[in-house]
Amino acid sequence: MRIAILGAAGMLGRRLAERLAAEGLLAGETITAFTLHDIFPAQPVSGNFDVEILTSDFSEEGEAERILSQRPDVIFHLAAVVSGEAEADLDKGYRVNLEGTRALLDAVRKIGGGYRPRFVFTSSLAVFGAPLPDVIPDDFLLRPLSSYGAQKAVGELLVADYSRRGIIDGLSIRLPTICVRPGRPNKAASSFYSGIIREPLNGEEAILPVPRTMRHWFASPRRAVGFLIRAAEVAGPGLAIRTLTMPGVSATVEDEIEALRQVAGDEAVALIREEPDPAIHAIVSTWPKAFDARLALDLGFVPDASFEEIVEIYCRDELGRA
Amino acid sequence: MRIAILGAAGMLGRRLAERLAAEGLLAGETITAFTLHDIFPAQPVSGNFDVEILTSDFSEEGEAERILSQRPDVIFHLAAVVSGEAEADLDKGYRVNLEGTRALLDAVRKIGGGYRPRFVFTSSLAVFGAPLPDVIPDDFLLRPLSSYGAQKAVGELLVADYSRRGIIDGLSIRLPTICVRPGRPNKAASSFYSGIIREPLNGEEAILPVPRTMRHWFASPRRAVGFLIRAAEVAGPGLAIRTLTMPGVSATVEDEIEALRQVAGDEAVALIREEPDPAIHAIVSTWPKAFDARLALDLGFVPDASFEEIVEIYCRDELGRA
């Protein structure tokens, strides 16, 4: 079985490749080969695999065909122009996120001859827009308020239609906000959600720009990789629903801080400095607070048990602490 | 003010052009010019207007720019590959309905220099799919079960995003099934909904392939044209919602037959012959039965008062009877 990952140099793509290589199996079948694609060179996985590393913009003419030339049995499509860039550069966002995704699906179709791979597409909570209920049900409408969200919603529609037509066995999954993101703070409005855990655990000060009552929807990188793998497992020909909101942990900033206190004590919490930022507050207060992700739970997608577990996973997976 | 109509040779496009020409005004402004585009030559409107007639496939390279070269103030985008053809020819459906619509929106963007036309896009009930509640609310999710429905849903997302970004002042409207459609029966599964009224009124026999309890959602051609005009009126910069399900008349086949009896008597009703067709029954039984189209009603979209009015409109507008 050959696995293709688009976005294989990204935070989730790297972890997905490593985990699949370590397990050596997907949906009960032995993995023999990887196609790891990104716009930056992806790291090869370790183990006895045929590994193809491709570096390009997948939305450019002919690239989708090249990426699929080895006919991967499972395609994980994690590649995208991110939210801020898709808003700043309308052309690029639509070209990569919409036309690129369509080019990939059409490249599958043109191979033909019974080729029908499993196709896991990472969608986003950005397909939803205010006004939102406190707990969002599985049948809530799409109302993106960013070009990125609109492009992800279009991707969901394409994956569902191409699945219905028997071209792929697809599944779009809307990932929670990943927390704790490893690495450095960045300019994303969501950066502080990871920062207030990550920086104190590394002995550094963290800025909290919003009130402690702010609530949002989270998954650890480890669980997010689990969602991708579970998506590939369940995306068979018989699946009726082709778009799923992933389960997560609904937590307030206060919940985050208490989880940090449980794991690392008062000294860690003392490193969080409250510095209200009305601009960040305005952005994140329109974001979803919680979902009733019943369909995904029924299909065996397993979320983190608590925000404390999210902090512990960061300590174990990223810092190597027990 | 210049009006552009794409799909101007179609049933609604022709009626829209004639009505706008007769009124001479749209949203309080004087109409001076028309751009009438279709893949077949559109009829010129009568009156003292500058009329440009363009005949082409609007999705072909450079056509969107040509259609917009006179910078119409209002664009009615009614052009589409229809449902059956979009299902039979995946390439053509996506090329015209998705890429064509995006090319049109991008042609607007590239004109720039403050050009920001009103843009009315005809969407469809095909964006919804079973399981459906008996009465569908305005915030019900998109779940198309045809490629046509998926392409219309993508069009809605594009119109909303390009409106949010200030490129157009857009509004997508989901039209009810048009009834009574003038002309001859066709192979569409919905054909009988018009046929059982139209044929008896013309002294001909009509086939009824489904039970009399079957319920669906209707608007007359006259009301549908009214929806298009109202959409152009309300699609200003301040509009918060860019996609609306149109109000209509929820009627069973029995309601249709009773309306026919009121208008044309028992002899007309006697021309309806019941001939059950399980294939047609299976298709139309997945279709929406009724909507709570509150947002559109609040914005002044006016549906037919009853199915009897729908029959009377056909008699008056198409048969010239009082």
Side-chain angles (χ1 to χ4, degrees), chain A residues 43 72 90 132 138 157 167 191 215 248 317:
Chain A
Q43 292 298 312
L90 183 140
L132 291 168
D138 278 322
L157 288 160
I167 296 162
S191 181
R215 182 178 284 283
D317 290 359

Side-chain angles (χ1 to χ4, degrees), chain A residues 62-118:
Chain A
E63 282 306 312
E65 288 74 10
R66 190 164 75 104
I67 295 165
L68 300 182
S69 63
Q70 304 288 321
R71 302 197 183 191
D73 303 283
V74 181
I75 300 164
F76 291 97
H77 176 23
L78 283 62
V81 166
V82 297
S83 164
E85 192 174 7
E87 200 63 22
D89 188 341
L90 183 140
D91 252 336
K92 185 173 179 184
Y94 275 97
R95 180 173 55 74
V96 174
N97 294 348
L98 191 159
E99 288 168 27
T101 299
R102 194 161 114 64
L104 206 54
L105 293 169
D106 265 341
V108 170
R109 183 167 67 88
K110 282 170 193 156
I111 289 174
Y115 177 56
R116 180 170 166 174
R118 298 196 176 204

